[in-house]
Amino acid sequence: PNLFQLATKELAQDGFLVWLLQWADESNKQYDPQLNECAAFFVKMLLQKQVPAAEKIHTVTAGRKGLLKNVDVWAVINQQYLLVIEDKTVTERHSNQLAIYKKEAEALCAAKNWKPVYIYLKTGAEAQASLREIEQQEGYHCVTRAELMGWLGKFQVRNPIFTDFYDYLCQQEMAEQAFETRPLNQWDAACWRGFYQFLETQLPEEVSSWRYVANRAGGFWGCWFHSRACNGYQIYLQVEQAKLCIKLEIPSDSPQRDKCSRESWQNILKLKAEKQLPEIIKPQKLSNKGTWRTVALIRAEDWLGKPGEVLNKQQVVENIKKYLSFIREYARRTDDK
């Protein structure tokens, strides 16, 4: 039994991080030298995200709330640095929280003469586009699960709390990598997250983002590719788990909004015949309402594989490239009219 499979909320992870940070104080070396060494390395790696020449760790005071009213996890290092950690498991940033935390920390650091270091630590999966925004726009330094595993895995710590946490991270990683070996009809949410992360590595210039989409039908894990402008709207490719959809984003003030879906399907129909892509089919219902509309789709067996098969990664990447090329050609011809 693993403690962190039972205590899955962010609060439990907050507690572990504070516990590990406190172990970095050099006074704790006498109780468990290996855990102290690992914890001090962890703190140093966090500091070096912003301060490359961070020195040896001597004193660490860490906690939740208290010193900082809204911050998940904080630590004062050597009475010189204030670590501000926004800790996430599954959820993403919201409600301008990162800016609020920075403002609170900056006021405290000005009073104490400390240097703030801002960390966004995510043990769940998150799109690279989202992480880039956090670093470039919010001024936080991101730490991913893979990076955290690399740090903690360097040490032979025998503490059962530590090993439970590290093993739990490994289990999450294995669950997401199962998309490579599990038959397609047995994929779960973790497999789709792993698959979308794979697409980011293979098509870094094409993948826009991915995340969970809640809707009345039960929701799905979706992945979006960069859109192309044509004739006053945007056209793009979207994975809705098994379905690969060709979507339109139509402004609400578009003068041709009502007939846009119908005309787009007619243009797609002509081009798909020319490109010999019979697997591109019309959706059951061609909607004339809403901003985001599905105007064509490709069934799972035609781009991803048959239900009982294991994913052919290279073939799927080539399939997606083919449909992205189709969309680029569609956008070019539509704009030329």
Side-chain angles (χ1 to χ4, degrees):
N2 185 298
L3 174 65
F4 293 96
Q5 284 182 324
L6 303 173
T8 56
K9 294 187 181 296
E10 282 178 4
L11 183 61
Q13 186 163 289
D14 289 352
F16 173 82
L17 291 174
V18 172
W19 175 86
L20 185 61
L21 289 165
Q22 290 178 350
W23 268 102
D25 191 285
E26 62 183 359
S27 68
N28 291 319
K29 185 175 182 178
Q30 60 183 313
Y31 306 116
D32 190 329
Q34 291 175 320
L35 183 53
N36 169 256
E37 182 185 13
C38 176
F41 181 78
F42 171 62
V43 171
K44 192 170 184 178
M45 291 298 99
L46 294 177
L47 289 180
Q48 286 184 348
K49 287 282 184 177
Q50 186 170 317
V51 187
E55 63 273 15
K56 180 177 172 62
I57 307 303
H58 296 291
T59 63
V60 178
T61 304
R64 294 189 63 258
K65 313 300 183 185
L67 183 68
L68 292 167
K69 179 181 177 182
N70 297 299
V71 171
D72 285 344
V73 174
W74 57 265
V76 179
I77 314 300
N78 295 346
Q79 284 298 316
Q80 185 177 0
Y81 302 104
L82 175 65
L83 268 177
V84 176
I85 302 177
E86 173 57 15
D87 175 35
K88 294 290 188 186
T89 53
V90 178
T91 60
E92 299 183 7
R93 58 185 168 142
H94 57 83
S95 309
N96 202 33
Q97 60 182 167
L98 298 184
I100 292 171
Y101 302 162
K102 278 186 79 173
K103 184 177 180 180
E104 184 181 1
E106 284 168 359
L108 178 62
C109 286
K112 297 285 189 178
N113 197 28
W114 293 334
K115 182 178 179 63
V117 176
Y118 302 105
I119 301 294
Y120 182 87
L121 189 147
K122 183 70 179 276
T123 55
E126 189 162 341
Q128 288 299 313
S130 176
L131 296 178
R132 283 194 297 270
E133 283 186 4
I134 289 168
E135 293 201 328
Q136 295 170 6
Q137 299 178 16
E138 304 277 11
Y140 280 66
H141 304 276
C142 294
V143 174
T144 63
R145 180 178 66 232
E147 194 169 16
L148 184 58
M149 288 171 61
W151 294 348
L152 303 185
K154 291 178 180 292
F155 299 88
Q156 297 298 316
V157 177
R158 299 183 183 278
N159 182 286
I161 297 174
F162 178 93
T163 54
D164 261 17
F165 184 75
Y166 181 76
D167 288 348
Y168 180 61
L169 295 183
C170 293
Q171 290 164 15
Q172 288 181 291
E173 187 70 19
M174 289 172 61
E176 289 181 2
Q177 294 308 310
F179 81 93
E180 298 190 59
T181 56
R182 186 177 293 180
L184 295 168
N185 58 358
Q186 296 179 25
W187 279 21
D188 57 12
C191 290
W192 284 106
R193 294 194 297 270
F195 176 59
Y196 293 154
Q197 290 172 87
F198 164 73
L199 291 183
E200 286 180 316
T201 67
Q202 300 298 302
L203 301 165
E205 303 300 321
E206 299 285 2
V207 175
S208 172
S209 192
W210 58 267
R211 63 178 176 83
Y212 180 74
V213 179
N215 60 26
R216 293 179 181 177
F220 63 90
W221 283 91
C223 179
W224 298 265
F225 296 84
H226 289 295
S227 60
R228 306 281 169 174
C230 55
N231 199 27
Y233 57 86
Q234 301 282 327
I235 185 167
Y236 61 99
L237 203 61
Q238 174 174 309
V239 182
E240 296 181 3
Q241 294 189 184
K243 292 189 299 183
L244 185 62
C245 303
I246 297 176
K247 309 277 288 191
L248 304 184
E249 182 179 358
I250 308 169
S252 57
D253 58 353
S254 172
Q256 299 184 4
R257 185 176 175 85
D258 290 342
K259 59 181 181 179
C260 202
S261 298
R262 185 174 65 256
E263 289 186 349
S264 297
W265 167 247
Q266 293 301 320
N267 292 336
I268 288 171
L269 194 61
K270 295 173 186 176
L271 184 58
K272 82 157 191 163
E274 179 185 322
K275 295 288 185 180
Q276 298 183 337
L277 296 173
E279 69 272 23
I280 298 177
I281 61 175
K282 187 178 181 180
Q284 288 185 339
K285 182 180 180 181
L286 199 58
S287 176
N288 286 324
K289 298 180 180 179
T291 301
W292 298 276
R293 305 177 186 177
T294 300
V295 289
L297 57 88
I298 302 98
R299 291 173 297 191
E301 56 265 33
D302 292 321
W303 74 277
L304 189 64
K306 295 180 180 178
E309 294 179 341
V310 173
L311 182 74
N312 182 332
K313 295 193 294 184
Q314 194 54 48
Q315 184 59 58
V316 166
V317 170
E318 293 305 315
N319 289 343
I320 291 175
K321 286 180 178 178
K322 175 174 63 178
Y323 301 124
L324 289 170
S325 175
F326 178 90
I327 284 178
R328 284 193 291 269
E329 180 67 9
Y330 170 91
R332 184 186 69 80
R333 292 193 184 188
T334 305
D335 255 3
D336 285 346
K337 288 184 177 181

